[in-house]
Amino acid sequence: MSEVAAVSRSRRVCVRAFSAVCAASVIAYSLALEARPAAALGYSSSDADAPRAPRKGHGKRGKSVSDAKPSENVSLARPLFAVVSLSGQHISIYNHNGLVDRSTISTGVPGHLTPEGMFTILGRERFHRSNLYSGAPMPFMQRITWSGVAMHTGHVTGHPASHGCIRLPGAFAQKLWGMTRIGERVVIAPYDLAPTEISHPALPAPQMRSPTEASAATLADAGLRDGFADGGPAPLLNPRRYADELKTKSAAEAAAASKAATEASLTLNAKRQEAARASAELRSAEAAEILARARAESAAKAAETAAAKRQEVATAKPDQPTNDGASPAETAKAKADAALAEAKARHDAAKTAYNASDAEYVDAARRSREAAEASAAAAKAEKDAQLRTAPISVLVSKKNQRVYVRQGLTPIFDAPATIREPERPLGSHLYIATATGDNGALKWSVLSMPPRIAEARATHKRKGMVEERSAAPMGPASSAADALDRIELSDEVRQKIADRLWLGGSLIVSDQGPSVETGAVGTDLTVKFR
């Protein structure tokens, strides 16, 4: 029995050692991958404003920009967006130039279906462990919902096999990690969708700005203004360049405001201590005057008593010589009166000093409060400037008759929106600003969800004798261009959108409202169909 127990212990030790070695190997592999930049994976980190290769067939309704297979000549121009085909079990990565890459995947099985809809990459971790399934490893995880759906390395069969996530082959997951960024769109559809170019007057246009005098030197130093050194006119700034400039400026202003607030706080503390010392001195002077007054009054009474006695003696013995000098009581009275005068002077001086110190303290408190408020405002402006560098996300919902605007996964504002012919479905369409044209214009691509999913359909559900029907209208959904024709937004809303719109910005037009995946902060505007 002892030999059997020894063998059993030996096996357990071996299993534990083997598990430790495997875990160490996975961690080492992940760390090694983490150290490899995107350029090492064969992709450039080109700026979002880099020029794109022109495409033909640009029209109001557009034409398909997908290719049969990834082209070796397609550059990694940003922004990218992904299309997941549930029936085809593959993911396709696109940019304005066409199909960038494609891979087989495995999505959710019945009971744990992968949701259909329009999502965004919300977060990324090179090595993540599942919060739902016993810490299962999920290398190169790219989160698209906070409810647990992500793209990550996993066992891929070409058939549904996951608990809702999108499993990717290891090499492709690593490759995709080097390509994508937080904020880029992911569309999950029942079958394959191909983006098309679209040009439409209702699509928002960016607001170009003139650089301020304060930013002129900054732009010239950065080499962003051709001809500025020769006195030529300053070029207009697109919203992203303006956001970068604003971020630099607001960061400097926030730092200066924070320094001023700190200095004002230090001054306030010093004035508070001075006021405390002045208050203590005033209380001491008040107490000293009260004591000196009591002593003076006592000395005065003693002097009066002594004078009365001398008068009695002089009256009783008129022939007795008198002492014309000051009596001890009178001398004590004189000293007490002098001490009282000195105490009163000290009290008056202490009161004057206290009043001045208190006024300085009140003024320092006001300045400190104003500096703190200015610092908070500058910090808020810096945060807003930082948000401006991220792609803007807009959702127009026919269901809620509102337009929602987010940037940097943060709510910016929402406002009323009018949809003409409200009895007709809009469908669900995702428009992405994928390239720049002439004079700061944007080029757009659109993905429209299949009508069988995007159109709201009447449903029947019986509960006993009660039949429930949705109030959703019937009929064919609008095309991507027709949907834009039916939207009415105020000039103020359009101006606010134009002020923040640039490459990577997206617009969803849908019968649906924001899905439950659209939380307060840290999520994007999403539409979910399943």
Side-chain angles (χ1 to χ4, degrees):
M1 293 297 292
S2 61
E3 292 180 357
V4 172
V7 170
S8 177
R9 285 195 300 272
S10 176
R11 288 179 176 175
R12 286 198 298 271
V13 170
C14 290
V15 169
R16 290 172 182 170
F18 179 75
S19 300
V21 169
C22 290
S25 299
V26 170
I27 293 172
Y29 175 72
S30 300
L31 293 176
L33 293 174
E34 182 174 357
R36 299 176 64 185
L41 303 178
Y43 298 95
S44 64
S45 56
S46 58
D47 184 61
D49 295 336
R52 271 72 171 168
R55 293 185 297 170
K56 298 180 180 180
H58 190 68
K60 180 174 180 179
R61 294 183 182 272
K63 72 170 188 175
S64 174
V65 299
S66 67
D67 299 321
K69 62 179 180 179
S71 171
E72 296 297 332
N73 296 323
V74 173
S75 63
L76 192 65
R78 297 189 183 281
L80 300 176
F81 53 97
V83 178
V84 174
S85 170
L86 296 177
S87 62
Q89 288 293 286
H90 61 253
I91 182 172
S92 304
I93 311 301
Y94 292 95
N95 63 10
H96 186 73
N97 296 320
L99 182 64
V100 175
D101 211 337
R102 177 172 286 168
S103 172
T104 302
I105 59 174
S106 285
T107 57
V109 297
H112 298 281
L113 294 174
T114 301
E116 296 176 7
M118 299 170 178
F119 305 92
T120 298
I121 297 176
L122 305 176
R124 289 153 40 97
E125 294 182 37
R126 281 182 171 85
F127 189 79
H128 177 76
R129 287 191 177 275
S130 173
N131 299 318
L132 301 176
Y133 300 105
S134 305
M138 301 166 61
F140 297 104
M141 185 276 290
Q142 302 196 59
R143 184 183 299 280
I144 61 174
T145 78
W146 288 109
S147 60
V149 179
M151 303 183 293
H152 63 84
T153 300
H155 180 56
V156 175
T157 64
H159 302 283
S162 77
H163 281 78
C165 283
I166 301 166
R167 293 182 184 175
L168 309 173
F172 182 80
Q174 174 186 348
K175 188 177 183 181
L176 187 63
W177 176 271
M179 296 163 60
T180 53
R181 293 177 177 174
I182 291 176
E184 291 179 326
R185 285 290 186 175
V186 178
V187 175
I188 304 177
Y191 52 82
D192 197 21
L193 299 180
T196 58
E197 290 185 37
I198 183 169
S199 176
H200 196 285
L203 285 168
Q207 173 67 46
M208 307 299 285
R209 292 174 173 266
S210 297
T212 62
E213 292 182 3
S215 66
T218 302
L219 292 173
D221 292 341
L224 300 178
R225 293 185 51 186
D226 297 334
F228 174 77
D230 300 329
L236 296 177
L237 300 179
N238 65 53
R240 176 54 194 267
R241 290 295 189 196
Y242 176 75
D244 289 336
E245 173 205 335
L246 192 63
K247 183 174 68 171
T248 300
K249 180 181 177 183
S250 63
E253 292 176 347
S258 178
K259 180 180 179 181
T262 299
E263 292 174 351
S265 179
L266 293 174
T267 300
L268 175 61
N269 289 335
K271 293 301 181 182
R272 182 185 290 110
Q273 294 176 3
E274 291 177 6
R277 288 193 293 269
S279 178
E281 170 60 18
L282 178 59
R283 291 195 300 272
S284 177
E286 288 176 345
E289 182 183 3
I290 292 172
L291 179 60
R293 189 179 301 280
R295 289 176 176 175
E297 291 174 353
S298 177
K301 290 180 180 179
E304 290 177 2
T305 300
K309 288 183 178 180
R310 289 178 60 184
Q311 184 62 36
E312 290 178 0
V313 171
T315 302
K317 299 177 180 182
D319 298 334
Q320 183 176 348
T322 59
N323 183 7
D324 295 334
S327 66
E330 290 174 341
T331 301
K333 178 180 179 301
K335 291 182 178 181
D337 288 343
L340 176 59
E342 183 179 351
K344 289 178 65 177
R346 178 190 172 192
H347 184 197
D348 290 341
K351 183 179 293 184
T352 300
Y354 171 76
N355 289 337
S357 178
D358 185 62
E360 291 177 356
Y361 170 68
V362 171
D363 184 63
R366 177 184 60 80
R367 291 177 181 274
S368 179
R369 182 177 62 255
E370 292 175 349
E373 292 173 352
S375 179
K380 184 177 182 299
E382 182 183 18
K383 181 179 179 181
D384 182 69
Q386 178 64 38
L387 288 178
R388 281 176 173 266
T389 64
I392 190 173
S393 179
V394 182
L395 167 62
V396 178
S397 167
K398 186 171 77 72
K399 176 182 178 181
N400 299 341
Q401 294 287 300
R402 295 194 73 79
V403 54
Y404 303 88
V405 179
R406 291 195 173 204
Q407 196 165 25
L409 308 183
T410 301
I412 302 299
F413 72 92
D414 62 272
T418 301
I419 309 299
R420 290 191 290 271
E421 302 178 67
E423 70 283 355
R424 288 179 53 212
L426 276 174
S428 288
H429 314 276
L430 171 62
Y431 311 81
I432 304 175
T434 52
T436 56
D438 298 331
N439 301 321
L442 291 175
K443 296 181 179 180
W444 294 80
S445 296
V446 63
L447 287 159
S448 297
M449 290 295 285
R452 70 179 184 84
I453 298 298
E455 289 181 11
R457 300 185 303 273
T459 59
H460 302 259
K461 187 175 182 181
R462 290 187 175 275
K463 292 183 178 180
M465 299 299 294
V466 179
E467 182 182 71
E468 297 180 355
R469 291 176 179 265
S470 71
M474 300 293 290
S478 292
S479 67
D482 293 338
L484 292 172
D485 287 331
R486 294 171 57 193
I487 296 173
E488 292 183 1
L489 301 177
S490 68
D491 291 341
E492 180 183 3
V493 168
R494 290 189 177 277
Q495 180 58 44
K496 287 182 177 180
I497 293 173
D499 191 44
R500 294 172 176 265
L501 173 68
W502 194 238
L503 283 179
S506 62
L507 165 66
I508 297 177
V509 176
S510 178
D511 294 306
Q512 311 297 320
S515 77
V516 294
E517 299 291 350
T518 303
V521 178
T523 58
D524 203 355
L525 294 166
T526 62
V527 174
K528 189 174 178 181
F529 305 112
R530 186 184 67 186

